[in-house]
Amino acid sequence: MPEALSGISFVLALLFYGAASALFFLDVARSRTRLPSATDFVGLGVGPHHHDPAARPSAAAAPASRHAPLLLGLGALGHATYVTLASFVARVCPVHSVHFMLSVASLFAIGVYLVARRRFRIDALGLLIGPLGLAFLLGTFFLGKPHAEQKLSPLFIAAHVMANLLGIALFLLAGASAALYLVQEKRLKQKRHVERLGSLPPLDTLDRAVHRFLSAGFPLLTLGIVTGTYWAHRLEMGNTEEVMRAIFGYATWLLIALVLLLRAAAGWRGRRAAYGTIAGLACAAAVLVIYLVRPAAGLGG
């Protein structure tokens, strides 16, 4: 009976977390910002860092869906129920595991967020909180199944690998757009080769390209992170390669999420978004290097 209840609470938490994360992402992805183009600066005597204050979005430019916080709270309730039943009754999850501690930390973070989101206008933080709760829930679930890897479905492996590869491909495009943005901005600022700028897209076009590529790649990377928790028990073994891959993988996800979050909540775009995108791409490249230099013995997270 306790195992059945823990299974039900896990499935409910999974569904609520997933739905809340999707709603938060859609709110952030729908945010609209405009960056002045190259033609706005030529001949005006102003640098590309100068923006019309009216074009800067407010913190409430992308309000969270009214249902997303409710779904997040229900997911946290199911998460807490599952951790309690699995740890103290069914004995599925080891109490002293780092993943158990992360689950508890994520529950506290969700609680603080739900209480403070309206007062401090931090609804957009749901973009980070929802997927993290989902990832820690799955990490705790898979820890109790050390032999499950032998029954791994080829479809599951394909979904994990393809999500990561497609996500990285889109981040490469975003990184290329960000690099072009920085080149274009530097030329405008120094007022050199202005007559040759027609070969490069305007700044606002490049900025939108960065945002769109990141918005398309972020759900795929999130799927890769979530499915990668299947191999969470490897982190408990202290393998350096696994730990470094996990660190750089989560760092990539966190940086890209922050770029999207700050664009929606604080109007971050242009140069700052470009630097953040390139930093996230560097972390993704580090994960690929680890795979190539010291390939895993089998398909892993």
Side-chain angles (χ1 to χ4, degrees):
M1 184 66 178
E3 292 185 4
L5 290 176
S6 67
I8 293 173
S9 61
F10 168 77
V11 171
L12 290 176
L14 188 69
L15 293 175
F16 287 135
Y17 273 153
S21 299
L23 289 177
F24 281 123
F25 170 74
L26 289 175
D27 284 331
V28 172
R30 285 197 299 260
S31 65
R32 293 288 183 266
T33 58
R34 178 187 178 274
L35 188 71
S37 64
T39 56
D40 293 330
F41 302 121
V42 177
L44 294 181
V46 296
H49 59 279
H50 177 80
H51 303 308
D52 182 2
R56 183 179 298 274
S58 66
S65 167
R66 69 177 66 181
H67 302 297
L70 174 61
L71 292 172
L72 183 63
L74 292 174
L77 180 61
H79 189 170
T81 303
Y82 169 74
V83 169
T84 301
L85 291 173
S87 298
F88 300 109
V89 181
R91 298 181 181 178
V92 173
C93 175
V95 175
H96 299 291
S97 165
V98 63
H99 294 278
F100 174 83
M101 299 301 178
L102 289 174
S103 282
V104 174
S106 69
L107 291 173
F108 277 119
I110 291 172
V112 172
Y113 165 77
L114 292 175
V115 171
R117 68 181 185 86
R118 287 188 176 179
R119 179 175 181 180
F120 298 104
R121 305 180 68 183
I122 54 173
D123 291 288
L125 278 178
L127 178 70
L128 296 175
I129 301 297
L132 283 178
L134 178 60
F136 293 148
L137 170 69
L138 288 172
T140 303
F141 176 77
F142 288 128
L143 268 179
K145 298 169 176 53
H147 302 297
E149 242 179 308
Q150 301 174 0
K151 303 177 182 178
L152 199 59
S153 167
L155 183 61
F156 182 89
I157 295 177
H160 174 70
V161 173
M162 290 303 298
N164 282 309
L165 290 179
L166 291 176
I168 290 176
L170 289 167
F171 291 156
L172 284 172
L173 293 173
S177 301
L180 286 178
Y181 178 94
L182 295 176
V183 171
Q184 178 82 311
E185 184 193 47
K186 183 177 180 181
R187 287 183 176 182
L188 286 169
K189 183 179 294 187
Q190 296 178 350
K191 298 184 179 179
R192 294 187 308 181
H193 309 295
V194 174
E195 68 281 359
R196 302 179 185 176
L197 290 178
S199 60
L200 291 178
L203 289 179
D204 59 342
T205 299
L206 291 170
D207 183 66
R208 285 197 301 269
V210 172
H211 180 63
R212 288 170 180 172
F213 285 133
L214 291 182
S215 296
F218 182 75
L220 293 170
L221 183 60
T222 301
L223 177 60
I225 290 290
V226 168
T227 54
T229 58
Y230 194 96
W231 295 272
H233 64 275
R234 292 184 179 178
L235 299 180
E236 297 291 318
M237 303 175 185
N239 185 290
T240 303
E241 177 190 349
E242 300 292 340
V243 171
M244 292 304 297
R245 280 161 51 184
I247 289 175
F248 282 115
Y250 278 107
T252 302
W253 181 87
L254 183 60
L255 284 170
I256 300 305
L258 285 174
V259 170
L260 293 173
L261 173 64
L262 291 173
R263 182 187 182 97
W268 273 40
R269 58 198 188 278
R271 185 194 312 169
R272 290 177 290 189
Y275 282 132
T277 300
I278 292 173
L281 183 60
C283 291
V287 175
L288 293 178
V289 168
I290 294 174
Y291 269 108
L292 293 174
V293 174
R294 297 187 58 191
L299 289 173

